[in-house]
Amino acid sequence: RIKKMVLNYNEFTKKLNMKKSILYIICMLLATHTTLIAQSTNTTVSATSEKEVKQVIQNMFQAMLQADTTLLKTCFSDKVIFQTIVNKLEGVVIKTESINDFIQSIGKQTPNVLDERIEFGAIQIDPLMATVWTPYSFYYKGQYSHKGVNSFQLVKLKEGWKIQYLIDTRYK
């Protein structure tokens, strides 16, 4: 009778281990499937977001080139911070400019005077925030003026992506 109980116990253990193995395999398959779906969705959202983020920045430079203050205003959040890093003899100075002053100065130009030619560098995107690095060369009335790097922080608002913070460097 003990021998029969041991055989039953061994058979029970084998069946239990088999059920655990099957359950483990099912869980792993579900986890893998869920991860793949999430990655696929994130890639799609990220590609769409990157395109939208780039478009806001391109709109800003297009608005500058065309002296289009209406388009320019659509690029910024209500509380945007606009700064420039200037390397002076006495050291580095960070100048803060009012966005309204910037927009007014653009509006005083004629089209094709302010031509900032950018390249997209590093782009990092979170569902609500993006960071974009754009090296640039600036031309005034067709003549090279200076070069530098722009660093953009954008936020995803109800209306879409908006520039919240822009800081740049300038070199001859």
Side-chain angles (χ1 to χ4, degrees), residues 10 20 71 75 80 87 102 104 113 131 138 149 157 165:
N10 285 341
K20 283 182 183 178
L71 177 59
C75 300
V80 65
N87 196 10
F102 174 72
Q104 285 177 4
V113 169
T131 300
F138 187 83
V149 175
L157 302 174
Y165 181 61

Side-chain angles (χ1 to χ4, degrees), residues 159-170:
E159 324 64 72
W161 288 100
K162 301 290 180 179
I163 298 167
Q164 173 59 39
Y165 181 61
L166 171 57
I167 188 165
D168 66 64
T169 59
R170 297 178 187 177

